[in-house]
Amino acid sequence: MSTAVAAEPAAKTVPAGQNPMLAPWTGPYEGVPPWDKLDPELFPDAFQKAMDEVKAEVQAVIDNPAAPTFDNTHVPMQLAGDTIQRIYALWGVQTSNRSNDRVEAIDAEWSPKLSKFFTELYLDPKLFARYKAVYDARNTSGLDAQQVRIVERSYEEMVRDGANLSPADKAKLVEINSKLEGHFSSFSSKLLGDEKLYTFVTDKAELDGLEPAFVASLAAAATEQGKPGQWAIKNTRSSAQPVLQGATNRGLREKVWRAFVGRGDNGDANDTKAVIADVLKLRQQRAELLGFATHAHYRMADTMAKTPENADALMMKVWPAAVARVKEEVADMQAIADAEAKAGKGPKITIEPWDYRFYAEKVRKAKYDLDESEVKPYFQLDKLVDGMFWAAGELYDMGFKENTGTIPVFDPKVRTFEVFNLKTNKPIGVFYLDNFARDGKRSGAWMTTYRSQQKLGGERNVLASNNNNFTEAAKGEPTLISIDDAQTLFHEFGHGIHFLLYDITYPALAGVPRDFVEYPSQVNENWLMTPEVLSKFATHYQTGEPIPQALVDKILASDTFNQGFSTVEYLASAIVDMKLHNRKVPPTDIAKFERETLAEIGMPKEIVMRHRLPQFGHLFSSDSYSAGYYSYLWSETMDADTWAAFNEAGGPWDRTIADKFRTLLLMTGNETDRAEAYRAFRGRDPDVKALLKKRGFPTE
């Protein structure tokens, strides 16, 4: 008996000039994205037409009969592809913020096609010949320092990415990149599949210990899933973490923990391990084809760290102290668990991973008389958004005026803001804020730009966005967030500040090294806990009273609390990432590799990696963070040293340091070597001791 299979709907064929995905953006602010016209079926047509357009633009450069120069080669190449960049911005929201099965199917079909197209486009030998001619004449053709930097970096990047390969090897590279894009799409789809799942609770007593507002949000989620009268815990960090931290029911904590850490690792249709093994094999083949020892060496050639060895050296300066601190933290937790068992207040247990966050809160209460539930009523999401805007105004003269409802958005709950200079009133751009978790939205938090600043071709307003996955409060209630969530809010906004402040001429000098990317965002986290922000914006959601100084003092006193856990959780992922990619023979048994590597480095049994390999989207949904997850630590070393610079001067609001930070490091993109820019800011390289001190670890 045959089973009928529903055919995918055919992509729409749109008459020339009538596809809204292709149209130049119109409206205020030099044009804004037409989010109200998003339609997945329009993208295949848009992709093809935009590819044809950029192909013609690049071909015009290749066919130019004039001798190659910066102006007739690099300038038009930087201005090419405007249409496809707009489409990528729209498609990025479609896949990350509004995905569904049809979007995943289109992405699986078109990601390899787009990869193949662009790989072939930039491997054209005639195009490379023009770049080489400009490169060879760079010191005798009157170029300024920025133009020379562009010429050198562009040429080196083309060589690094295969421009000197034989035609046969170029064909292999195209095939590898295309296959990788297909795997990235498959990985993302499988992971999203597991993150759409829920743990359902039928007895409210199992939720004891959780905040009423959070419990109400779980009830609302269950109703949305067609199970009124139950409670639904989504398989994402923003839902799982409050349960692990607050639920007194140990069985529920274990159940939620196992579902969360098992994403992509269940031997079913959403298992990602076979995809990962293929990705690793292809990455190593590509690295060797391009003349690199490993994928790690290939990815790190254009970073601040330069080599895997340098990244490893920094990580191993921190790892032993972090593991030692975990042992102390576990001992403190075990002592409380043992005392409770002795007093008949609980069973005799040994601390397990699903106990760590729960008992850490008990230790926090015992050591610092601090309970997270005391803090949360003062951390209203909307008020903290006001606080982060205010801080940006104090430090960088950035103003934010809400204009929600005046321009299109892709979800009714997205807020929008005009961004301008408070002193000159000059417009900077628009900021989109998508705060809440929902089906079809990928997990985690991220920042992106829909349009970036550049002077080449005319000054452009920035369109930037922050995307979080906070759990929205029940209707009519303010959304209250944890300290961790508040830090995420400020972290992502630091990325936004970075790109909103850009003041560069050439887009070729916009992209900073991977291990610099997280630096501005991590620095911005520091302002959350300043007295000025807390006194103005951390107000009780019922009384309106500012957070008491006594409670602030408790928070600050516990600043280095649980740093063993947070450091080991993150650093284990970074170390495993580097060991995974800094090897000539990729592992084929992913679970075994993860298990044996963690044992080799002495991973405490009470903690799991922040991102286990089967769910490590940073590594396997694209190449972007592969052999690069160490970059958070590299950036945090600069962050801690930068915060020390503020404190050595006039404090967090010192405008001399803020202006120096803004003009040397935030506004300049990649116009100069970022290590040199940091030395110009600080007078030296960053000192890792500042990081160790900030985390409460020994500095000697």
Side-chain angles (χ1 to χ4, degrees):
M1 187 173 98
S2 63
T3 303
V5 178
E8 295 283 9
K12 294 178 181 176
T13 302
V14 185
Q18 294 185 28
N19 188 333
M21 301 301 97
L22 284 164
W25 295 346
T26 58
Y29 314 110
E30 300 173 359
V32 293
W35 301 121
D36 51 334
K37 294 182 172 64
L38 277 187
D39 180 347
E41 304 306 333
L42 293 173
F43 279 97
D45 174 76
F47 285 140
Q48 188 57 59
K49 288 188 168 88
M51 286 159 60
D52 294 342
E53 179 183 300
V54 75
K55 172 67 174 171
E57 290 170 333
V58 173
Q59 196 62 47
V61 175
I62 293 171
D63 292 342
N64 189 334
T69 65
F70 183 86
D71 286 340
N72 69 21
T73 301
H74 285 272
V75 168
M77 285 297 293
Q78 290 179 77
L79 292 174
D82 196 50
T83 299
I84 204 154
Q85 289 305 318
R86 291 197 309 272
I87 292 169
Y88 274 145
L90 298 171
W91 186 242
V93 164
Q94 187 75 76
T95 56
S96 296
N97 303 68
R98 286 186 44 169
S99 189
N100 56 41
D101 290 347
R102 180 60 180 143
V103 170
E104 291 171 22
I106 293 171
D107 194 52
E109 177 187 355
W110 278 89
S111 288
K113 288 182 181 180
L114 288 159
S115 173
K116 182 175 186 291
F117 170 76
F118 280 107
T119 304
E120 289 178 338
L121 188 67
Y122 292 114
L123 286 177
D124 188 303
K126 292 178 181 177
L127 180 64
F128 179 59
R130 293 190 70 88
Y131 273 76
K132 186 176 187 307
V134 180
Y135 174 81
D136 290 341
R138 68 194 183 283
N139 295 321
T140 58
S141 50
L143 302 181
D144 64 27
Q146 285 190 24
Q147 292 168 340
V148 170
R149 181 167 173 78
I150 289 169
V151 169
E152 290 180 343
R153 286 179 56 78
S154 300
Y155 175 78
E156 290 163 3
E157 183 180 3
M158 291 181 86
V159 171
R160 191 166 59 244
D161 287 344
N164 279 330
L165 293 177
S166 68
D169 282 346
K170 284 181 180 179
K172 289 180 186 175
L173 180 62
V174 168
E175 184 182 9
I176 288 172
N177 283 345
S178 181
K179 285 181 178 177
L180 280 169
E181 285 298 330
H183 286 321
F184 297 154
S185 178
S186 175
F187 177 91
S188 298
S189 177
K190 290 173 184 291
L191 181 56
L192 186 59
D194 269 2
E195 290 177 343
K196 289 176 181 176
L197 303 177
Y198 290 82
T199 297
F200 287 95
V201 175
T202 56
D203 181 358
K204 192 175 182 180
E206 288 188 43
L207 303 174
D208 285 353
L210 301 181
E211 295 169 5
F214 180 63
V215 172
S217 73
L218 301 183
T223 300
E224 285 181 13
Q225 293 301 309
K227 296 192 176 183
Q230 297 187 28
W231 294 264
I233 302 164
K234 197 173 185 184
N235 201 19
T236 59
R237 192 176 302 277
S238 60
S239 289
Q241 195 160 300
V243 175
L244 296 174
Q245 192 167 301
T248 58
N249 187 305
R250 193 176 188 228
L252 178 65
R253 293 202 309 269
E254 181 178 357
K255 188 176 182 181
V256 168
W257 179 86
R258 290 194 182 280
F260 183 67
V261 304
R263 290 167 297 147
D265 190 26
N266 296 304
D268 56 13
N270 287 332
D271 195 288
T272 62
K273 296 192 292 295
V275 174
I276 291 171
D278 282 346
V279 166
L280 295 174
K281 181 176 68 175
L282 289 166
R283 280 176 172 165
Q284 183 57 22
Q285 288 174 2
R286 179 177 60 186
E288 292 177 5
L289 189 65
L290 294 170
F292 292 90
T294 69
H295 177 72
H297 288 85
Y298 166 60
R299 288 292 300 163
M300 295 185 68
D302 187 30
T303 61
M304 296 180 76
K306 302 297 184 190
T307 67
E309 291 72 27
N310 289 339
D312 281 334
L314 174 62
M315 290 191 285
M316 296 319 296
K317 282 180 183 175
V318 179
W319 178 254
V323 171
R325 179 57 54 83
V326 165
K327 291 177 181 175
E328 296 171 8
E329 291 170 2
V330 171
D332 288 342
M333 292 187 288
Q334 190 65 57
I336 287 179
D338 289 348
E340 288 179 345
K342 189 174 181 180
K345 295 180 180 178
K348 175 71 175 170
I349 68 162
T350 299
I351 297 295
E352 298 285 356
W354 48 90
D355 299 315
Y356 208 116
R357 292 181 184 275
F358 180 74
Y359 279 93
E361 289 306 307
K362 290 177 178 283
V363 174
R364 195 199 304 259
K365 178 72 175 171
K367 279 195 168 186
Y368 304 101
D369 191 28
L370 179 64
D371 189 330
E372 175 93 8
S373 63
E374 290 180 76
V375 179
K376 218 168 179 182
Y378 295 94
F379 274 28
Q380 299 177 64
L381 175 58
D382 288 349
K383 293 284 287 183
L384 290 175
V385 168
D386 292 342
M388 73 186 193
F389 288 161
W390 176 83
E394 293 295 300
L395 291 163
Y396 314 118
D397 300 320
M398 299 173 74
F400 295 81
K401 179 183 176 184
E402 184 153 14
N403 62 347
T404 301
T406 66
I407 58 175
V409 290
F410 48 83
D411 185 88
K413 290 170 183 172
V414 173
R415 299 173 69 189
T416 60
F417 303 83
E418 291 182 19
V419 190
F420 59 96
N421 185 291
L422 285 168
K423 287 186 174 177
T424 66
N425 219 34
K426 180 184 175 184
I428 296 172
V430 178
F431 180 68
Y432 295 75
L433 187 58
D434 182 16
N435 271 330
F436 300 117
R438 62 178 170 272
D439 284 347
K441 185 177 180 183
R442 70 178 171 91
S443 63
W446 67 96
M447 174 267 171
T448 192
T449 53
Y450 309 134
R451 181 173 65 220
S452 298
Q453 183 272 337
Q454 67 187 59
K455 292 175 184 170
L456 187 68
E459 184 70 54
R460 309 195 315 179
N461 274 343
V462 179
L463 304 178
S465 76
N466 276 178
N467 307 269
N468 299 300
N469 266 288
F470 303 136
T471 301
E472 188 178 15
K475 191 172 183 180
E477 296 292 321
T479 295
L480 307 178
I481 60 176
S482 66
I483 295 175
D484 282 351
D485 283 344
Q487 287 171 334
T488 296
L489 183 74
F490 272 64
H491 175 100
E492 295 306 330
F493 187 56
H495 285 302
I497 288 171
H498 185 197
F499 282 87
L500 286 162
L501 286 179
Y502 261 24
D503 186 22
I504 62 169
T505 298
Y506 298 108
L509 294 178
V512 296
R514 169 56 58 199
D515 41 15
F516 186 92
V517 167
E518 298 298 334
Y519 165 49
S521 54
Q522 289 175 232
V523 170
N524 200 60
E525 291 180 36
N526 291 288
W527 278 278
L528 168 64
M529 295 306 300
T530 56
E532 293 81 0
V533 168
L534 292 176
S535 63
K536 288 181 174 68
F537 303 101
T539 57
H540 197 282
Y541 78 104
Q542 290 174 320
T543 67
E545 291 295 313
I547 188 169
Q549 187 58 45
L551 185 52
V552 174
D553 291 342
K554 290 179 187 179
I555 296 171
L556 296 176
S558 68
D559 196 38
T560 60
F561 173 73
N562 221 33
Q563 282 295 330
F565 172 83
S566 60
T567 306
V568 163
E569 182 193 46
Y570 154 73
L571 204 47
S573 294
I575 293 170
V576 169
D577 164 38
M578 193 60 71
K579 288 185 177 294
L580 189 67
H581 289 108
N582 187 23
R583 51 188 290 129
K584 289 182 178 294
V585 181
T588 54
D589 187 333
I590 304 305
K592 181 182 178 186
F593 176 85
E594 179 182 287
R595 189 169 57 249
E596 291 181 350
T597 303
L598 291 173
E600 174 193 327
I601 64 174
M603 178 73 167
K605 67 178 179 61
E606 299 86 0
I607 299 180
V608 293
M609 301 160 65
R610 182 168 181 82
H611 305 287
R612 291 192 55 236
L613 291 179
Q615 62 233 206
F616 209 159
H618 289 75
L619 305 192
F620 303 117
S621 62
S622 73
D623 273 328
S624 60
Y625 277 89
S626 59
Y629 201 62
Y630 78 90
S631 60
Y632 286 90
L633 188 69
W634 193 273
S635 293
E636 193 180 349
T637 303
M638 295 188 288
D639 150 37
D641 198 49
T642 297
W643 192 239
F646 275 95
N647 289 323
E648 289 162 12
W653 308 98
D654 186 278
R655 277 303 295 253
T656 301
I657 299 297
D659 287 344
K660 206 173 176 185
F661 179 52
R662 173 176 55 84
T663 56
L664 291 174
L665 291 161
L666 296 181
M667 292 172 58
T668 51
N670 202 10
E671 289 182 338
T672 59
D673 179 271
R674 294 295 83 189
E676 291 176 10
Y678 190 88
R679 284 190 285 271
F681 166 67
R682 199 68 168 100
R684 55 167 173 73
D685 288 326
D687 185 354
V688 72
K689 288 183 180 179
L691 170 64
L692 294 170
K693 182 179 179 182
K694 185 177 179 182
R695 293 200 169 220
F697 299 157
T699 57
E700 298 297 336

